[in-house]
Amino acid sequence: MTRQRQTIAELSRLFQSGAVSSRELTEASLKRIAEHDSELNSFINVTQEEARVAADTADKLLASGKAGPLTGVPMAHKDIFCTRNITTTCGSRMLENFVSPYDATVVARLAEAGMVSVGKTNMDEFAMGSSNETSYFGAVKNPWDQERSPGGSSGGSAAAVAAGLVPMATGTDTGGSVRQPAALCGITGFKPTYGRISRFGMIAYASSLDQAGVLGLTAEDVALVMQAIAGFDARDSTCSAEPVPDYVAGLEASVSGKTIGVPKEYFEAGLDAGYAEAVHSALDVYQQMGADIREVSLPNLSLAVPAYYVVSPAEASSNLSRFDGIRFGHRAEGMTDLESLYKLTRKEGFGDEVKRRIMTGTYVLSAGYYDAYYLKAQKVRQLISNDMARCFEDVDILAGPTTPTPAFRIGEKVDDPIQMYLNDIYTVSVNLAGLPGVSIPCGLVDGLPAGLQLVGPHFAEQNVLNFAHLFQKETDWHLRVPGEGVS
Amino acid sequence: MALSKQEIEYIAHLARLEIDQGEIPDYEAKLGKIIDFINDLEHADTADLLPMAHPLAMNQRLRADEVTETDERDYLQANASKISGGLYVVPRVIE
């Protein structure tokens, strides 16, 4: 595999200077996909013709002096974002042939900014998974080692960016689905505050946790994309009206004198020793920049995954009840009564993990169990959220590992749901509390990437990206390319 | 905590999922593990806490009841497997 990765910022400079057209950038991206994606399986649908039309439009925008910082640059959308006239499968047989009647707000805003979507990336079915193995369209391979998982659920987006097929791809993060694959693929993955980006047109998994995010090569690129997609949208009633600051302008602020909290529980049982070492080395980098490192405590960390695996399946079981075979999606053949039609349609349309979560969610919401599980989990959610808020009274940002181990082998955890769920131990509490978080590459463990997770208070996106950017100015982990040295 | 075969069939019915008899042992094993795992929540001291339904303290936003979308009935119905005369076709529900 040839290694050729360039950031949005670099590609944009080339495009704006006239050195390269959007059509050329787009053809180069399509060529890399054609050459490498038969191995990686990171795309479900490559939309060549639409991409060429968008690229030609971007070239005209530049000629007329209307190009912005994202114009003309290729990218890809996770196949959970609805796209008009192009299938949106959500990684499921249920939606194999579904064509959305509208664009998601994220899709519309990036198109408006002149970005060129080259296709839709592979993902765990309905975003339920941490390994990309639950996709109806097959597992995605990690470009660092094709025997290993890229993580999930935004695994296709992470693999495509890591392999240099596109400089950026969108993702969604309900329990870590942007940050975890970013960590396992050695790239930058950002999940903003709940409500910072519109969820309109983003197929729902767990509505009180779902948030759109960005997978890219640098914090600077994330800031550029965030500038275009963050902000109020009347079509999502939970989208925040909080003003959007200038994320790019905030990147260079000094972190000297700022305080980083390191939860001691993150380094207890379960964390790989080499991974822990990489995280400690990253903290040393911040210390050299003048930041103060302080130990903090999240005493209820061990309850985060169980709480998440009550709240998210409960919401999923309700959200996925819309898939009944009648108005859209797969429909079973030959049924003569309505209930059998629903049941067989759902049996055929959903994969095993989605069914398991629907069953779990249905159980915890069923008569006699609601208080013991769902209500209790919502109280634990408050407990975890309070713990994090208490930390932010004393520190500016929290730091730690993104995942307990580097990329695991495909097939290694797929038969043990609990082992798979525990991969989310460091990421889910961020979703439960609705906070912004990023994963940035911070080292290699046995040749595989490790991620540093940085988490800020609500709407502190600027702060989180600032910390991430300064780390990337001091280190070159984000420039490491699968199978080679520095790009 | 193990779920009985009857419980699994009942939950599958509530979820409108058909399951084969052959799938029941796998559901027993895996759902049993998941329920054991989430049972850890019992030990949390949540005595004075209110349930958190949403990460942000937001009020429900209201909007004027105005038509904002155009009528695209045919385009929307192109996603359905069975339509007839602009209507969705379902098995007979009233005898």
Side-chain angles (χ1 to χ4, degrees):
Chain A
M1 200 180 277
T2 54
R3 309 298 171 188
Q4 196 180 11
R5 297 198 317 196
Q6 283 178 296
T7 64
I8 294 176
E10 288 163 347
L11 294 173
S12 181
R13 273 193 291 276
L14 290 172
F15 171 68
Q16 305 268 352
S17 74
V20 62
S21 68
S22 177
R23 185 63 185 259
E24 287 168 318
L25 292 175
T26 302
E27 294 296 346
S29 173
L30 291 171
K31 184 163 175 277
R32 281 189 65 77
I33 295 168
E35 284 169 359
H36 302 296
D37 208 49
S38 55
E39 295 163 25
L40 296 174
N41 197 28
S42 66
F43 279 82
I44 289 175
N45 188 7
V46 181
T47 52
Q48 300 193 34
E49 290 319 309
E50 290 84 353
R52 287 180 179 123
V53 170
D56 292 345
T57 305
D59 285 328
K60 284 182 200 133
L61 272 180
L62 182 68
S64 62
K66 290 179 188 153
L70 299 174
T71 306
V73 179
M75 55 81 59
H77 284 294
K78 183 177 183 178
D79 207 16
I80 196 169
F81 289 98
C82 286
T83 43
R84 187 175 166 96
N85 294 329
I86 296 168
T87 54
T88 299
T89 69
C90 224
S92 182
R93 182 184 182 198
M94 185 63 89
L95 292 178
E96 191 176 4
N97 300 308
F98 173 67
V99 179
S100 163
Y102 53 81
D103 280 333
T105 296
V106 166
V107 171
R109 287 187 180 176
L110 288 176
E112 180 94 350
M115 287 204 99
V116 176
S117 172
V118 296
K120 310 287 294 283
T121 58
N122 204 343
M123 55 181 285
D124 278 301
E125 185 179 6
F126 285 102
M128 298 180 196
S130 310
S131 71
N132 231 293
E133 290 166 285
T134 74
S135 171
Y136 175 65
F137 302 93
V140 177
K141 314 283 174 57
N142 189 319
W144 289 80
D145 176 350
Q146 294 193 12
E147 310 246 297
R148 290 177 193 271
S149 163
S153 65
S154 312
S157 290
V161 171
L165 309 186
V166 281
M168 184 281 285
T170 54
T172 57
D173 191 316
T174 304
S177 283
V178 162
R179 291 158 289 152
Q180 185 254 17
L184 302 192
C185 289
I187 61 165
T188 302
F190 183 62
K191 178 203 98 75
T193 305
Y194 180 89
R196 181 71 293 184
I197 300 173
S198 170
R199 289 186 297 115
F200 178 76
M202 201 175 101
I203 295 174
Y205 157 21
S207 306
S208 78
L209 301 161
D210 293 342
Q211 176 59 211
V214 182
L215 296 105
L217 294 170
T218 62
E220 183 189 12
D221 278 4
V222 169
L224 286 165
V225 175
M226 278 296 293
Q227 209 68 54
I229 61 177
F232 180 73
D233 178 14
R235 293 174 164 200
D236 170 3
S237 66
T238 61
C239 190
S240 172
E242 195 79 14
V244 177
D246 187 334
Y247 294 122
V248 180
L251 289 173
E252 302 290 343
S254 168
V255 298
S256 180
K258 291 194 178 160
T259 312
I260 301 177
V262 182
K264 63 177 183 193
E265 292 81 5
Y266 282 8
F267 296 87
E268 288 167 4
L271 178 62
D272 176 274
Y275 208 124
E277 212 171 293
V279 171
H280 282 300
S281 303
L283 294 172
D284 290 344
V285 173
Y286 283 112
Q287 198 153 29
Q288 282 155 22
M289 287 186 231
D292 179 26
I293 314 285
R294 191 178 302 175
E295 186 180 276
V296 294
S297 177
L298 295 173
N300 299 295
L301 181 71
S302 65
L303 295 171
V305 183
Y308 175 82
Y309 280 97
V310 171
V311 173
S312 65
E315 294 185 7
S317 71
S318 170
N319 271 324
L320 271 62
S321 65
R322 74 190 59 168
F323 298 104
D324 58 7
I326 309 290
R327 290 151 302 145
F328 51 82
H330 175 74
R331 173 169 172 149
E333 292 292 333
M335 292 296 107
T336 53
D337 72 281
L338 200 55
E339 191 170 288
S340 305
L341 173 65
Y342 294 153
K343 287 183 172 178
L344 193 64
T345 291
R346 291 161 65 80
K347 173 194 170 72
E348 293 174 351
F350 294 136
D352 290 346
E353 180 62 22
V354 170
K355 286 179 193 166
R356 219 157 20 238
R357 293 199 196 188
I358 290 174
M359 291 282 281
T360 307
T362 305
Y363 176 73
V364 299
L365 292 176
S366 64
Y369 294 104
Y370 179 89
D371 286 2
Y373 290 112
Y374 191 64
L375 202 67
K376 183 74 179 181
Q378 285 190 313
K379 289 179 181 174
V380 170
R381 184 175 184 180
Q382 189 64 62
L383 189 65
I384 287 163
S385 185
N386 291 350
D387 285 351
M388 298 191 88
R390 202 172 303 115
C391 287
F392 288 123
E393 288 171 10
D394 299 321
V395 304
D396 295 296
I397 204 158
L398 293 173
T402 308
T403 58
T405 64
F408 47 89
R409 286 181 193 283
I410 292 170
E412 190 179 321
K413 301 186 184 199
V414 76
D415 286 327
D416 186 344
I418 303 301
Q419 278 309 307
M420 192 67 92
Y421 296 174
L422 284 170
N423 225 277
D424 303 335
I425 178 93
Y426 305 121
T427 49
V428 289
S429 37
V430 180
N431 299 78
L432 290 169
L435 303 170
V438 71
S439 177
I440 53 175
C442 72
L444 292 175
V445 180
D446 300 328
L448 295 168
L452 175 75
Q453 179 176 235
L454 301 166
V455 179
H458 287 137
F459 298 106
E461 278 75 15
Q462 216 171 5
N463 222 4
V464 172
L465 292 172
N466 170 218
F467 268 86
H469 176 67
L470 292 192
F471 185 80
Q472 293 180 333
K473 281 179 82 175
E474 291 294 317
T475 63
D476 66 4
W477 296 114
H478 63 294
L479 302 176
R480 303 296 174 102
V481 179
E484 276 187 13
V486 175
S487 67
Chain B
M1 190 182 81
L3 292 176
S4 68
K5 177 172 173 285
Q6 289 71 25
E7 282 174 302
I8 288 169
E9 286 172 338
Y10 177 60
I11 299 162
H13 168 69
L14 291 177
R16 299 296 184 269
L17 276 174
E18 185 176 310
I19 53 175
D20 297 334
Q21 290 301 308
E23 293 175 293
I24 288 180
D26 190 60
Y27 276 115
E28 280 174 339
K30 287 178 180 159
L31 286 183
K33 270 191 184 182
I34 292 168
I35 289 161
D36 282 342
F37 183 66
I38 62 181
N39 277 338
D40 276 357
L41 295 174
E42 275 173 35
H43 309 300
D45 179 8
T46 54
D48 302 321
L49 292 167
L50 290 173
M52 177 174 167
H54 196 271
L56 300 175
M58 291 173 83
N59 295 323
Q60 180 65 47
R61 203 167 51 233
L62 301 176
R63 60 168 174 79
D65 185 18
E66 288 163 355
V67 176
T68 56
E69 304 294 327
T70 50
D71 182 4
E72 294 193 289
R73 187 186 188 118
D74 293 344
Y75 188 64
L76 286 164
Q77 289 197 326
N79 271 306
S81 296
K82 284 189 183 161
I83 49 163
S84 174
L87 302 172
Y88 295 104
V89 178
V90 296
R92 181 183 291 273
V93 274
I94 300 166
E95 293 299 330

